[in-house]
Amino acid sequence: FCVPHKAVSDRLIFDRRPQNATERRLEWCHLPYGPSLCSLRLKPGEDVRCSGDDISNYFYHLELPEVLRSRSAFGRCITGQEAVDLGGNCDSKYFMIMKAWCMGDHNAVDVAQECHEGLLAQHGLLDEARMIRYKRPLPRSNTLQGIYIDDMLVLGSVPSAQVNEPVGDDAQLRVRIRDTYDKVNLPRSANKSFTFETNFTAWGTEVRSSDGYVGAPRDKRIQLFILSMLTLCLDTVNQDLFRSLLGLSLIHI
């Protein structure tokens, strides 16, 4: 099924719950965690800047192994004249299958994350000493790196006077990573690419280097505050609604 995504395209989701229920989770990936950036420490006269890229249609670049394709069939059976028109045998039966790792497969994120990290590691562009990981302390490094499936961020603590200059380890790493994407023909989303931003949002966490703020995005907190006030004005609130409100709002405070 499709989920509205952009003005010119939708997001395709494979409802793979029956297959997922019979397969073991790989549990390979260790994703970055936005609130870890609350531990950022800058020296006087320093700023933190961020550069980021997003691989366009990333999952479609990950080929599903042939042995798994029979578990990613979908749609109705194709038989008879339909099969002939598509180059098949009229005496056989066919189903359409996904040849790429699909969104909806509960192991797709693990595979996608490992492939992304493995690509950069293969080219010497991934160092665990600067990787931001969930449940791990923020690395003690002036250059930090985070990969979240198809997103890649590089953060650098640099002198304020050099914040817009292409110098420093973070600048070199950014250039080499983008060159690697181009070399292996991984297209980057131009509208999601940015360079040397001192006010940015990373994995749901807003960072403003100018005033030292790190936390939930201000616009989201305002919206949730208004939603909370509207809820409190109701005569009654059922348990499910209140649980949803707490789960959506308090985690951002």
Side-chain angles (χ1 to χ4, degrees), residues 59-74:
F59 284 93
Y60 290 106
H61 296 278
L62 303 175
E63 184 178 5
L64 187 67
E66 188 170 351
V67 69
L68 297 178
R69 293 177 186 174
S70 62
R71 297 182 62 81
S72 291
F74 62 95

Side-chain angles (χ1 to χ4, degrees), residues 28-228:
W28 287 345
C29 64
H30 300 279
L31 300 171
Y33 188 50
S36 299
L37 300 177
C38 293
S39 299
L40 281 169
R41 296 292 183 269
L42 298 176
K43 299 176 182 178
E46 279 189 341
D47 270 298
V48 61
R49 65 185 183 183
C50 182
S51 302
D53 283 292
D54 179 278
I55 300 175
S56 179
N57 298 315
Y58 179 45
F59 284 93
Y60 290 106
H61 296 278
L62 303 175
E63 184 178 5
L64 187 67
E66 188 170 351
V67 69
L68 297 178
R69 293 177 186 174
S70 62
R71 297 182 62 81
S72 291
F74 62 95
R76 63 179 178 82
C77 180
I78 300 175
T79 60
Q81 189 60 41
E82 293 175 316
V84 174
D85 293 342
L86 295 172
N89 187 334
C90 63
D91 296 325
S92 299
K93 296 180 180 180
Y94 300 89
F95 285 91
M96 292 184 288
I97 61 171
M98 291 288 294
K99 295 180 66 176
W101 284 91
C102 53
M103 298 181 68
D105 187 322
H106 66 175
N107 283 315
V109 169
D110 293 277
V111 172
Q113 182 75 10
E114 283 295 304
C115 286
H116 197 166
E117 292 187 12
L119 169 67
L120 298 187
Q122 183 181 15
H123 290 81
L125 302 174
L126 188 147
D127 183 353
E128 280 296 331
R130 64 190 178 210
M131 290 294 292
I132 304 172
R133 303 281 196 189
Y134 178 57
K135 290 187 177 181
R136 296 184 188 177
L138 195 71
R140 294 179 177 272
S141 173
N142 288 333
T143 299
L144 300 174
Q145 185 178 4
I147 298 171
Y148 200 110
I149 310 176
D150 55 351
D151 295 326
M152 190 285 305
L153 297 181
V154 175
L155 294 83
S157 299
V158 298
S160 300
Q162 299 179 1
V163 74
N164 293 316
E165 298 181 10
V167 296
D169 292 340
D170 66 309
Q172 296 178 20
L173 179 62
R174 172 188 60 81
V175 171
R176 292 179 62 196
I177 289 176
R178 289 178 176 174
D179 288 344
T180 298
Y181 290 153
D182 293 339
K183 180 179 179 181
V184 298
N185 296 318
L186 278 178
R188 295 181 288 117
S189 299
N191 61 329
K192 294 183 179 179
S193 179
F194 60 93
T195 303
F196 299 157
E197 294 288 343
T198 55
N199 296 335
F200 57 92
T201 299
W203 314 302
T205 298
E206 182 181 4
V207 178
R208 298 199 302 267
S209 182
S210 56
D211 57 12
Y213 174 83
V214 181
R218 182 181 299 174
D219 291 344
K220 180 173 290 186
R221 288 186 288 117
I222 291 174
Q223 293 172 8
L224 290 172
F225 173 77
I226 294 173
L227 180 61
S228 299

